[in-house]
Amino acid sequence: MKKLKKIIILTLLIICISTIFSGCKKEDKLIEAPKNISTYNIDIDFDKNTKTLNAKQTLKYVNRSNDILKEVYFHLYPNSFSELVESPVSSNNYSTCYYNGKSFGKIEITRCKLNGVDISLNYASMTKEIASILIDIPFYPNESVEIYFEYNVILPNCNHRFGYGENTYNINNFYPIACVYEDGVWDTHTYNKIGDPFYSEVSNYVVNFTADSDLTFAFSGIINSKTKTNGKTCYEISNNAIRDFSIVGGENLKVHSATYNDININYYYTDDENYQKSLSCAVDSIKTFSNLFCEYPYNNYNVVQADFCYGGMEYPNLVMISNSIKDYDDYLNCIVHETAHQWWYSLVGNNEYDEAWLDESLTEFSTTIFYDYNDGYNKLSSDIVKACYSNFEFYVTVYQDVLGEVDTSMNKNLDEFSSEVEYIYSVYVKGVMMYDSLKNIIKDKLITALSVYAKRFAYQNANQDDLINTIVQSSKIDLNSFFESWLNGKESVIY
């Protein structure tokens, strides 16, 4: 009898230990993230009547470089939507974006402090898209300073990353975010109407967001608490080791949820009769890419149907899918694509302005091979690749007939693409062709290499040399001439 009791007690102990470690699973993975990183604390009041934000932000900024810094630079992306800047949307999508006519937004910083002392903010130009503060004491590596902002933000009436439409408030890229400092230089590229012109370091976030209680919101983080007072709801949200913070909300958003491997996956929508399948697609995407590359390390993932003039847009733990997509298969494909960005942009970052192909080509290829592991979508990656070659050949032929020449090089800055069409075919379509050609050369070693790449550069910023060298090392094949011809070759590629 005593022996039986000992066995029962030992069994219960094992169960308890297993439960404890199971509950810490995601947190343990985040422990692998860098420790000494910056932290954003932001308190926000949102007024849906005036479409404005009033915010107070305290940033513990850590000098993670090897240099003594004399200043810190910030992106003020909302000012790229002001009347002082040329339209932030391409001509192809202008009417869809500004469906009510031209509208402007901006951010106005009313107070700035450094380590508790009021200071002046310096603007790089009249458009106020880049700002900096001077550090009046030696700011050594691994040390931190406290930077405080008070600011007001006006949302423009437009179906864009930053703005509001008929159904959703897209509150993205809304706060002063530190520019990346590397190789002795601050990256101060301003907004570009083609592509995703963003570049940032992973940081920790603690956000208090207050809005009317009749609104529903999704965030780039976990909602720790919700407090309702006088028709207002205050959300306390936090997340660690993410490279941006996003908010999307609306009055008529419904939400359905599922769980995979301790990850809460939520689908927010206003009009989707296939909402269960859309949610399943998000789950399948997280599952597939976790198995292929590395496990998704965060506790939640939100897919939000939103007013957006493009197909979709990625942010950490949150993606927007345009409610203007008519074909449902295209809608699902967009969910897959934006989910792949949780690895290629969110987990492994890169300079999306200087090397736009690095995350987008890999994301589009990941979307293509998703269908090799998910039969229920009635798509074959081989058919997608053939269509890419066919469409690319047609694009080249038309451009040559009209312009007499065509530049199909992939490795260009965003401002070097002559049009959005050139950007799409050079980065997305040709990107699928390049990776498919690479897969034919190194076979299964490609997925292995991408898994190594994801794990090696998780929570960091990588560049094209990091990716190419990882693939070369994993495959043990010299592929430098292969990448040189695909990335920098300007001639057309025929299937």
Side-chain angles (χ1 to χ4, degrees), residues 269-308:
Y269 66 97
T270 54
D271 183 19
D272 184 359
E273 61 183 16
N274 299 306
Y275 64 88
Q276 291 177 321
K277 189 171 182 179
S278 300
L279 174 61
S280 295
C281 182
V283 174
D284 291 341
S285 300
I286 289 288
K287 178 179 180 180
T288 299
F289 299 135
S290 290
N291 291 333
L292 288 177
F293 306 131
C294 70
E295 186 178 343
Y296 182 82
Y298 302 100
N299 286 304
N300 72 312
Y301 178 57
N302 297 316
V303 176
V304 187
Q305 185 185 64
D307 298 318
F308 190 48

Side-chain angles (χ1 to χ4, degrees), residues 335-399:
I335 292 176
V336 178
H337 176 95
E338 302 307 335
T339 305
H341 268 303
Q342 297 303 304
W343 282 260
W344 318 126
Y345 148 75
S346 181
L347 189 60
V348 179
N350 67 279
N351 190 327
E352 295 182 297
Y353 198 102
D354 287 347
E355 295 178 331
W357 73 272
L358 192 55
D359 66 307
E360 286 297 353
S361 296
L362 188 48
T363 296
E364 189 69 358
F365 172 71
S366 301
T367 305
T368 301
I369 63 173
F370 165 86
Y371 298 105
D372 291 336
Y373 301 88
N374 294 274
D375 296 335
Y377 293 84
N378 299 318
K379 282 189 178 183
L380 298 174
S381 64
S382 57
D383 291 339
I384 298 174
V385 172
K386 288 178 182 178
C388 285
Y389 275 98
S390 176
N391 292 336
F392 190 82
E393 184 176 356
F394 178 75
Y395 155 74
V396 170
T397 301
V398 170
Y399 259 54

Side-chain angles (χ1 to χ4, degrees), residues 27 134 141 194 252 289 301 317 334 381 397 412:
E27 198 157 329
L134 296 177
I194 295 176
N252 300 309
F289 299 135
Y301 178 57
N317 308 164
C334 191
S381 64
T397 301
K412 291 188 288 193

